[in-house]
Amino acid sequence: GIQVEQSPPDLILQEGANSTLRCNFSDSVNNLQWFHQNPWGQLINLFYIPSGTKQNGRLSATTVATERYSLLYISSSQTTDSGVYFCAVNAGNMLTFGGGTRLMVKP
Amino acid sequence: DAGVIQSPRHEVTEMGQEVTLRCKLISGHNSLFWYRQTMMRGLELLIYFNNNVPIDDSGMPEDRFSAKMPNASFSTLKIQPSEPRDSAVYFCASSFAGTGGGYTFGSGTRLTVV
């Protein structure tokens, strides 16, 4: 099946810093989503982005489907951004998750 | 839209007991997915349905696990008998297949088998 790799696995930031999270996938995909799992365990959909670039406030994402990667940018990070960020791809009708990037933003 | 609704939010049960997890899809969605999350294995797809029909159950760990979709808006995941290694967070997600649209996840059920 399709492989999804995320980097870095862990990230510690000082509040206000910017960061880039990366997702590589091994095959062509129909769909790519970024999720944030907050400290309460909820999986919040951030972006549905099979290709191109989208922005939502301090977050933006870019997927280059031909090169099989996606990037999630977090600017001016806040403590509430802490949690685990998952990339998930869909090559048919099944969403496969990467291992996640665990982010901690310190005040 | 209330989103994907799962119940219960937390479940603690004794080994050997039957456990039933419930999920209500978003209105208009026609695909339903059950995932399990553990520290060791991350998020794993257990089974998914399309238009109430199970399409792929290869992720279901054993015969002790079964899932049903009795109508277009509701699904159950049953574990009988439960074992301590089944302890995990179980997520349900729905989507509208055919458009390649995004998935929406419920809040999960945290299951503890003692």
Side-chain angles (χ1 to χ4, degrees), chain A:
Chain A
I2 194 166
Q3 304 298 313
V4 184
E5 294 185 357
Q6 292 186 241
S7 60
D10 296 280
L11 185 59
I12 299 174
L13 296 177
Q14 203 65 41
E15 195 169 30
N18 303 328
S19 65
T20 301
L21 282 57
R22 186 176 180 101
C23 171
N24 293 331
F25 44 96
S26 61
D27 207 343
S28 301
V29 298
N30 301 326
N31 172 23
L32 186 145
Q33 286 183 256
W34 283 96
F35 294 90
H36 176 218
Q37 188 165 38
N38 62 26
W40 294 270
Q42 293 177 305
L43 276 166
I44 309 299
N45 180 44
L46 299 176
F47 293 102
Y48 165 66
I49 186 166
S51 63
T53 297
K54 290 186 178 179
Q55 179 151 10
N56 184 3
R58 296 181 296 102
L59 302 181
S60 64
T62 295
T63 297
V64 184
T66 53
E67 297 187 22
R68 300 179 184 170
Y69 73 89
S70 183
L71 303 173
L72 178 69
Y73 306 95
I74 304 174
S75 64
S76 304
S77 59
Q78 300 177 358
T79 56
T80 51
D81 296 332
S82 297
V84 183
Y85 289 80
F86 288 102
C87 166
V89 302
N90 180 350
N93 197 32
M94 293 164 48
L95 205 61
T96 300
F97 282 79
T101 292
R102 185 174 298 276
L103 173 65
M104 179 184 295
V105 181
K106 294 186 171 182

Side-chain angles (χ1 to χ4, degrees), chain B:
Chain B
D1 193 337
V4 176
I5 299 173
Q6 291 188 245
S7 63
R9 290 295 305 274
H10 302 275
E11 176 80 27
V12 180
T13 190
E14 290 186 347
M15 183 173 62
Q17 296 298 306
E18 177 180 296
V19 176
T20 299
L21 312 181
R22 297 174 175 80
C23 175
K24 184 176 185 300
L25 285 70
I26 288 177
S27 177
H29 281 188
N30 62 354
S31 291
L32 180 283
F33 306 81
W34 282 102
Y35 283 83
R36 178 172 68 176
Q37 186 177 32
T38 60
M39 288 293 291
M40 293 295 293
R41 300 172 70 89
L43 277 154
E44 306 173 275
L45 178 67
L46 300 178
I47 185 171
Y48 82 92
F49 295 81
N50 194 30
N51 294 320
N52 305 0
V53 176
I55 303 300
D56 189 332
D57 65 354
S58 59
M60 296 284 262
E62 310 174 18
D63 291 344
R64 297 184 297 106
F65 286 68
S66 63
K68 294 182 180 179
M69 200 165 174
N71 59 55
S73 61
F74 183 73
S75 177
T76 59
L77 177 68
K78 185 177 293 186
I79 308 172
Q80 166 63 25
S82 57
E83 297 182 3
R85 61 193 167 122
D86 301 331
S87 298
V89 180
Y90 291 81
F91 287 99
C92 169
S94 73
S95 73
F96 183 74
T99 64
Y103 291 42
T104 301
F105 279 75
S107 297
T109 295
R110 182 175 295 277
L111 173 65
T112 304
V113 183
V114 299

